[in-house]
Every structure is written in structure tokens, then in C-alpha cells.
Amino acid sequence: MTEESQALREDVPGGPENRPGPGSGSDGSPSRVRPTSLAETAAALETAAAEQQSLLFTGAGTALDWGAPVTRTDLVVETGGLDRLISHAAEDWTVGVEAGMPLARLQEQLAPAGQWLPVDAPTAKAGATLGGLLAGGDVGPRRLKYGGLSDLVIGATLVLADGTVVRTGGDVIKNVAGYDLAKLMAGSFGAFGMVARLNLRVHPLPESTTTLALAALDAGQALTAARAVMRSPLEPVAVEWDGERLLIRFHGTEDSTAARGRLGAELPELAGARVLDADEEEPAWEAHAAKIAGEEGDTVLRAATRPARLPALHAKLQELAEGSGVRAAIVSGIAQGLHTVVLRGGEAEGHAAALTAWRQAVHESDGSVTLRRRREGVDARAESWGPAPATTPLLRSLKQQFDPDDRCAPGRFAPWF
Amino acid sequence: MIDTALRHEFEAALGADAVLTDPLQLRTYECDGLTGFREVPALVLLPRTTEEVAAAVSLCAKAGLPFVARGAGTGLSGGAVPVAQGVVISLARMRQVVEFDPDDRRMVLQPGVTNAEISKIAAPEGLYYAPDPSSQVVCTIGGNVAENSGGAHCVKYGFTVHHVTALRVVLPDGSIVTFGGDAPESAGPDLRGLFIGSEGTLGIATEITVRLLRIPQAVRTLVADFSTVEAAGEAVSGIMASGIVPAAVEMLDSLAIEACEAAVNAGYSLDATAALVVELDGMEEECDEQFERVVALCREKGTTNIRIADDAAERARIWQGRKAAFAAVGRISPDYFVQDGVVPRTRLSEALGRIAEMSRTEGLRVANVFHAGDGNLHPLVLFDEQAGEAERAEELSGRIAEMCVELGGSLSGEHGIGLDKACSMPKMFGETDLAVMQQLRRSFDPAQLANPGKVLPTPRLCGEKPGRFRPHPLEAAGVIERW
Ligand SMILES: Cc1cc2nc3c(=O)[nH]c(=O)nc-3n(C[C@H](O)[C@H](O)[C@H](O)COP(=O)(O)OP(=O)(O)OC[C@H]3O[C@@H](n4cnc5c(N)ncnc54)[C@H](O)[C@@H]3O)c2cc1C
Ligand SMILES: Cc1cc2nc3c(=O)[nH]c(=O)nc-3n(C[C@H](O)[C@H](O)[C@H](O)COP(=O)(O)OP(=O)(O)OC[C@H]3O[C@@H](n4cnc5c(N)ncnc54)[C@H](O)[C@@H]3O)c2cc1C
């Protein structure tokens, strides 16, 4: 162990939960380390490599159980001490941050310059960090217009399992030099290394926002309405269906959002739609985010399909849920084909059965499913990742190159690798 | 070396008409848009399906033969230049539109479909494909994926990577995989995003799913002339700081204007030192309101003349001039190199100043026509091969790209690294960064058969070509060694 990382472990700032544990020896609880610089991070990982410790990277810890359960953790590497804004070139539309920076705080720091990162992860409120958001692939409704976090990453600094520090991409909003290693981190759940810094493209804050709401109990009706909006010239930034109503959001200049709301409500397929009052809008989206996050005891899945598949998959879900004695709700980014399913009530057996059968249905319609949180007991009864795709040998080969000793979140992608 | 037995195996797998061996025919594949690099391949294959590509690649893998994928060969970084004694796998016969789903705004394409064709097919449904490289009438979607190509509208719409949701790929061992899916997310790491921009070094894309956008309701375009490059640069800054996200902001300097006018007579003012093409698109109400603000901003920054396109024909004329710029330079110079570098937009004036200075010192003219909104420069270094200026011109062009890196930018914004700039990569990335990129490449291609010698520097390539290889400062000082 280098002197620096030794000192680091003994002097972890924060509350008692951040103090180094007794190590993975005696009582099996992992040590914790909370580096405050890139050099400290690299040193800590280098030491961990020498000691063959397995690693769990954690930001705010809001999504640590997503993916398959990690089978062994000797050292928890917290990114909370890496939370600085490194640079903000407002005129160049770029910002550099450390990966432990919470999304919500970054937004506060960008706002005075009239800018934001157009990412609205449901977990921003809970302190979700940029590193965790990238690794967890968590993206909110506005992805429709602005893309996901990974689309906004223009460069990154990574620390690999052995402490190697790697830079990828650059600092400018357009750049194709070299491989984009940040993409390997997107949706990686910490299994390929740690994100230490991110360079991001920011956007000007929209002048104004408005939301249309349409009661829609039927998935087919919701899809028809969503398609009508997408065909119109109105350019929505989000179109979401929660099983009961369709929410359609617009950004733009003051005048244009007013016109968009008005014209949207006039579309025949949206008959009955209503522009939400200014004081209704934020609460409506917050309630929507809460539905996506789910609650303790829920099982939450994320599925990606062609949008047209929604009605059939929705019907299938209801049928399976009924058969398994659970309640199922779907929240769908209906114009993009990104669906979050929340299973609630009933027993773990029912959750596992509904999850497995519905996932199969999604795979049969060429979609993919990621398991997020789940009810206790589900892991013992259902595989987290389902059947291995054709890319599995490649993923294994990547894992072998980047983390040859399988120390980064071992088990996270079981049974694939 | 390709023996007869192996040639017969290729013929058995793809059909005799899909295997070219005639030296004259092979010669037509010797280079891409960057004509300075040439190499005649041993064999050219013309598969028609994913399975045939897989069969071809499997045979290459078995025989240990390097292969290079090829689209239309418009690449400007030498990415499609064959490898000596290697195979070229041309995707030119894979030109089918596999599926068009206007409801979900997706199109599934074989890699040889041209960029412009996608939008043409989508147009009757009111849809289009956003990335629009100037070469769009010729270049292929497969080449676009390999280069992560951009175009004039990147500031607002992004690059190829933002518009491709899925790829069917033949990996360098001949296996067939799918990256991504029908929606913009899929389970696990983003292999789709990793592959896009990999310049044919990680495998061959054989089927590409793109997302289509609705054709904007309104488009407004203007050309604003300025008497100095600095003033034009300030106008760009003003627009970008105004809260407006323009669809395109392009700049042409006087030399580029002269060339464009000589070639296509697009109506640019010959007396302007710099011209800006600014385009806004979107919903009519908003577009008009913001366009007025842009016009006012240009006036505020001292524009000497504003030409507003009244209709689609006039707009097309403006773009014709802009998009013809590279070739147009042929009107004012016997030869030229196209460079592609990026600087932070706020350092545009500085970068242009330094280019002018370098141009003066070298005694070679440099025309500038570029994507100003995102700081993506395209300096065109003019020279006369007959007069023996080629080497100096190439050197100047290379130094300009490296100057971009010094200013905090990038070696390439859209044309890729290819063969041309592989030896400059150590200017932008450290030794470790490059070593890890090499690791990534090895995970896909342990035998190093897919487009070898491109993107990453190799001692052989960079050592052999005197003048092109400049060692990393630490290397020169003996602190580090090339791996
Ligand atoms: C109670 C609760 C429930 C939630 N449920 C949902 C939900 O159902 N759906 C939803 O959309 N969102 C949900 N979220 C939001 C989600 O947790 C976040 O979007 C985000 O992914 C987590 O950020 P984090 O900083 O908390 O990451 P963490 O939870 O700390 O980590 C997430 C994953 O990323 C890895 N990781 C973290 N940081 C790094 C790094 N720097 N480098 C490499 N890997 C890293 C971790 O190992 C882990 O695998 C929920 C949040 C809360 C508070
Ligand atoms: C006049 C002119 C203007 C241009 N303007 C622009 C511009 O505005 N923006 C821009 O981004 N580029 C521009 N380019 C560059 C070029 O057109 C793009 O890079 C284009 O994407 C190349 O496509 P291609 O089909 O010609 O590919 P090629 O030149 O044939 O190949 C390019 C690279 O892609 C690889 N490749 C090709 N097909 C596949 C496949 N199916 N799978 C895997 N790898 C493959 C090749 O091996 C090679 O490395 C311009 C070029 C010219 C000549």
C-alpha cells in the first residue's frame, strides 16, 4: 500500500459510515475509501490491485442494487469526495466536472450562466451523481429531445481496476479522435472501471416550458396520440404515458410554448387534452418521476422496444401480473419505446414469475430489459439479466482486457460474465 | 499472399463475380478521398448480404489476412486505403433499404445506401435523416457510421452517433452480433456507441438502424458578410450566447468565397473578407422570432451585407456554394489538402490568426471554410504538386491540426484519424490513453486484421515516414518509450 493511500484510508472525511471498515476479513464488511483527487483515486485503486481487492464504485448509492447482485466487495470506492466543478466554459457550451458531482448541484451551478445539462433523471432529487447516472444508464423523459447523458459526454477521465488513469474524448463539442471509451462506461454499472471526470456539453436553458395532459387509459389510444404529436411540427421534448394519462412537454420561447400547447390541444387525436397551469406542471413531472423510481418492496424493470410494441407488451404485462398475483404499472417514454415497469404487492415468487415471462415477451419482440431495484427474494428466483446475447463473448473479452482479475463489481452482469 | 486455393474459397462463398483480381480493377480501390496515400489491394470482395460479409471475414480470419472495409471511398483521412497484400471488402453492392417504419420513424439500411438517399426515401412521409456531410450524395451510411460523420447541422442535431440506434456488425472473427436496439437504450455497456467512429477497425457494419426526424416546419437562412474575420467570429459568439441553438453556423473566408464563386456562382459577395451562413429551423413562430434576433445580432456586430434566402431554391443555392467548397478550391489551385481540426469556439479568431501566420511563413495559401458553430475548422492548404510543394503543404496541414490540439481542441471533428493522422495521436493523447485504446481494439480484434495501421500510431507507420512522425516530447527527452 502506498503511503498516500494508507493515509487516505485512515482519514476518511464524513460521518462514521464513511470510516474505513475493519476490512473484508473478520466480519466480511468492506473497507471504504473516499478519494478527493484523481491522484488519490489512482493510488487507492493501485493499492487495491496489489491486494487483489474487489471494488464497488458508488456515487450517491441510489442505484447500487441495479443489475445483478455483486458477489464480493472488499473495497467500496465512494466518489463523494470528487464533486468539484473543474471548469465551465459557458461560451463554448462545455463544462468539466468530477464524477461525484450530483446532477442537481451541477444544474444550480450552470443556471446563473443561463445554461443547464438537459438531463432529468428521476433520481436527481435523491442526489444521483453524474458518474452514477452514466454508469447506471439512467435517463429521464427529456431524452426524446436532448438525448441521454451519454450523448452529452464529450470527454472523460477513467480510472481502471489497476489504477491506470485514461483520458478519452476531449474538451470540445465536436471531436472524433480515437475510440470513445466513455461509451464503455455508459450502462456498465461499474464493471469496467471508474469514471473520475466528465466533460459535458451544456445547452442554453429554455426560456419557457409548458405541458399538455391527456387522459388516456388505453395504450393504443396513447400511442396514437403520441404519434400525432410527433408528426406535428410541435417538437415535444418529452412524451410520456403512465397508464392513465399522456404528458407532453414543450420547451421554447415564451410565445412558442404557448402556441405549441394551444396547437397541440387542437390536434384531433388529442381531443380533450388540457394545458396544465403553471403551478401544476412541476408537480405533475415530479409525480411522474416518483412513479418511475418505485418504492421499497417494488421490482422495477427498464425495457427498450420499438414504440409500436407497447400496446401488446402492456396487455401481456397485465395478464402476467394478474396470473402472478402482483400489480403492474408501466410508465412509458412512448415516443421512444423506453418503458419502466413497476411490480408491486404480492409475493417475491409472483414478481420473479412476471419478470421472467414478461422479459421473454420483450425479447421476442426484439427488445431488451434491465432489472433495476427488486423485491427481496426475487434474486433467488429470477436471473437478473436473462439469456446471454450474441455479444457476450465480446463483452467477456472487453472485461478481460479492462479488468482481467474480475475485481470491478464481480457478478454485476451474471450470468453473462 | 493470396494463393489460388484461398481465392477459390472466396469465390465459392461469394460467387465468382464478387471477387476482383484484375490488376486494373484493383487499382480503382487504391485510395480514398485523401489521394496522397495509395496501396493496391491483393483482392477486392463485393458481398451482398451480412452472411456473405461474415463468410468473407471468416476466411480472412482463418488465413490471417488483413481486410479493409470500404464504402464510397470519400473518406478524407485515408481510412479506406488498402493494406498491402490485404483484402478490400467493398459494401457497394449492399444498397438495400431493409425496412422503413414511418410510424416509429426508423429506417433499417444496408451499409452501401448513400446518406442522401435516406432522406430522399423518408421525405414523402415528412421525415429526414439529420446528419448531412457535404459528400452526402455519394458517401455511404456505413462509412458515416465508421467515421461518426457530421455535417453542417451538428451544432443542433449532433453526429451519426446520435442518430443510429442499432447496428448489425460482423466482428473481425466473422461472428455476427447486434449492438443497440430498436430504442435509444439497451442492456449493458453501449457497444453501439463504442463502434460508431471506430473507422473500420472493430468490424464491419452490415445493417444500420437510423432514427428519422420530422422535417422542420420552417427553415430560415441568411448569409452575412463581414469586413474582418474577427467581426464574423464575434457575430458567431453573439448568436451562440443568445440562448438560440442555430441549426448551422458556417464561415467562409475570402479565398473560399472566391473559389466557390468560381465554381458554382452561388451569389456570395466577392468583396467580403468573411461570410457567415446562419440557418435556423423549427416551428414557424419560434424560427421567425429567433431569426429576427440573429439578423439584429449580425447588424450589431457590423455586418456589411445581409442576404436572406426568400425561398427553398435560394437556400439551396447558398448551400450548394458551401457544400461545393472543397472541390471548388480546385478552381483556384492545382492541388489542395483538406484539414479537419477543432478548437474551442471562443478561440476561433486566434486559430485563424495563427493559420494566416503559418500560411505567410510557408508561402502557401490557406482557404478556410468551416463549421463555426462548433469550432470545427477545415483549412484547405493550396499547393502545386508540379512545383514540388506537396511535402511542405502536407506538413503545414499537419501542423495546423496539431495547433488545434494546442488550443485545447481536437485533431479531428468529423473526418477521422485514419492513416493520415495516426502519427499525430500522441499530440492529443498520452501513451497510456493510446495503450488502453489499443487494448479496446484487441478485445474486438485480437489478431489485428481489421483495418490495421489506422487510427492508432504504430512504430512502423510513424517511424517509416520521415517528416510525418513527430515523437512525443517525453519520448524525445528519453523519458518514455513507444510501446
Ligand atoms: C430510492 C431510489 C430508487 C430509485 N429507483 C430508480 C428507478 O427505479 N428508476 C430510475 O430511473 N431511477 C431510480 N433511481 C435513480 C438512480 O438511482 C440514479 O439515476 C443513478 O443511476 C444513481 O446515481 P448514484 O450516484 O446514486 O449512483 P450509485 O447508485 O452510487 O451507482 C449506480 C451504479 O453505477 C456505478 N457507479 C457509480 N459511480 C460510478 C463511477 N463514478 N464510475 C463507475 N461506476 C460508478 C455503481 O457501481 C452502480 O452500479 C432511484 C433512486 C433512489 C434514491
Ligand atoms: C467533398 C467531400 C466533402 C466531405 N464533407 C464531409 C462533411 O461535411 N462531414 C463529414 O463528416 N465528412 C465529410 N467528408 C468525408 C467523408 O465523406 C465521410 O467520412 C464519409 O462518412 C465517408 O463515407 P464513405 O462511404 O465514402 O466511406 P469510405 O471512405 O469508403 O470509408 C471510410 C472509413 O469507413 C470504413 N468503412 C466504410 N464502410 C464501412 C462499414 N460498412 N463498416 C465498417 N467500416 C466501414 C472504411 O474502412 C474507412 O475507414 C467529405 C468528403 C468529401 C470528399
Side-chain angles (χ1 to χ4, degrees), chain A residues 55-67 70 77 79 82 99-101 121-140 185 188-196 289 291-296 300-302 340 342 372-373 409 412:
Chain A
L55 307 167
L56 182 67
F57 307 118
T58 165
T62 64
L64 276 183
D65 54 354
W66 292 14
V70 170
V77 183
T79 63
L82 296 166
M101 162 78 81
T123 43
K125 272 230 151 104
T129 61
L130 288 156
L133 288 165
L134 183 68
D138 189 17
V139 180
M185 295 291 134
S188 68
F189 294 104
F192 290 86
M194 181 177 143
V195 185
K291 281 186 191 167
I292 294 176
E295 294 170 4
E296 185 72 39
V300 178
L301 324 173
R302 176 79 159 176
T340 308
V342 180
R372 291 191 167 171
R373 65 160 71 218
R412 185 57 101 197

Side-chain angles (χ1 to χ4, degrees), chain A residues 221-245:
Chain A
Q221 180 207 349
L223 186 63
T224 305
R227 282 178 168 166
V229 179
M230 293 307 289
R231 253 197 321 274
S232 77
L234 303 176
E235 302 180 335
V237 298
V239 180
E240 293 276 316
W241 181 64
D242 65 2
E244 290 165 5
R245 68 174 176 176

Side-chain angles (χ1 to χ4, degrees), chain B residues 32-33 68-76 78-80 91 111 132-135 138-152 195 199-201 203-206 208 322-323 326-327 371 378 414-415 451 454:
Chain B
D32 62 9
V68 179
R70 186 182 177 95
T74 66
L76 290 171
L91 290 313
D132 63 338
S134 302
S135 51
V138 187
C139 70
T140 67
I141 185 68
N144 291 176
V145 164
E147 301 287 6
N148 191 14
S149 298
F195 186 89
E199 306 192 23
T201 63
I204 301 185
T206 60
I208 295 127
R322 164 61 188 87
K323 292 198 175 184
F326 294 176
H371 312 302
H378 286 320
E414 52 183 19
H415 295 169
N451 215 1
K454 316 292 168 67

Side-chain angles (χ1 to χ4, degrees), chain A residues 91 167 175 179 231 401, chain B residues 201 214 345 410 428 439:
Chain A
E91 281 195 60
R167 257 179 353 104
N175 166 29
Y179 300 122
R231 253 197 321 274
Q401 286 285 344
Chain B
T201 63
R214 185 196 188 278
R345 203 187 32 72
S410 167
M428 184 161 166
Q439 263 176 284

Side-chain angles (χ1 to χ4, degrees), chain B residues 152-223:
Chain B
H153 295 85
C154 295
V155 187
K156 180 165 177 182
Y157 294 102
F159 327 109
T160 303
V161 70
H162 299 121
H163 299 271
V164 167
T165 72
L167 294 169
R168 242 182 142 205
V169 170
V170 173
L171 293 175
D173 65 357
S175 58
I176 301 171
V177 292
T178 300
F179 296 155
D182 279 335
E185 268 176 32
S186 59
D190 184 11
L191 299 173
R192 172 208 62 92
L194 208 51
F195 186 89
I196 295 172
S198 63
E199 306 192 23
T201 63
L202 303 182
I204 301 185
T206 60
E207 212 170 276
I208 295 127
T209 306
V210 299
R211 69 187 186 103
L212 304 167
L213 300 183
R214 185 196 188 278
I215 295 172
Q217 182 182 36
V219 187
R220 301 283 179 266
T221 312
L222 64 76
V223 181

